[in-house]
Amino acid sequence: MFNSDLTQVLNVKLKLQGPVVDDYISEGIVQVEHEGKWGYICPSNWKHVNSYVLCGELGFPNSTKLESYKETLQDVEPVFWLDHVTCKGWESSIVSCDHAGWTRHQCEGGGALKIKCARKNITNVSGMSLKCLLKTD
């Protein structure tokens, strides 16, 4: 297994290809940018903890619902950057998790990772006291 260095973690860009719902995208095919080119993550041996790390990185920390799927791509020659991703749960980026190495994959048939993250809704704040102070000059 390969574990990326800090430089790769700081420079990683992720995006979801999916519909915009309530002004944000929470479900879609995951794309990662590497060496200036967008590519996909292969869902081989994908685990729930991987979804937890990925959803957190995409702006959905402590997601209440995490789902992952294999989605068939329409790209003629898709680029797969990551495969066999194995997270422990504490990572701040998906590329901090162990993986097979950039471009090393066994992702045949054009299947890419599709993920669904759900924001945690706070509906009841009983027992808490919240104070707001406004200072005006």
Side-chain angles (χ1 to χ4, degrees), residues 72-129:
T72 303
L73 297 170
Q74 303 302 319
D75 286 358
V76 178
E77 293 183 34
V79 173
F80 289 96
W81 285 128
L82 298 173
D83 192 7
H84 297 289
V85 177
T86 306
C87 300
K88 293 173 181 63
W90 52 262
E91 298 90 349
S92 61
S93 173
I94 200 69
V95 298
S96 296
C97 302
D98 289 336
H99 55 82
W102 293 101
T103 70
R104 295 181 184 164
H105 67 87
Q106 297 172 339
C107 204
E108 303 303 325
L113 176 67
K114 181 178 181 180
I115 196 165
K116 181 175 186 177
C117 309
R119 290 182 189 249
K120 185 181 249 184
N121 291 328
I122 299 174
T123 54
N124 185 1
V125 225
S126 62
M128 295 180 92
S129 175

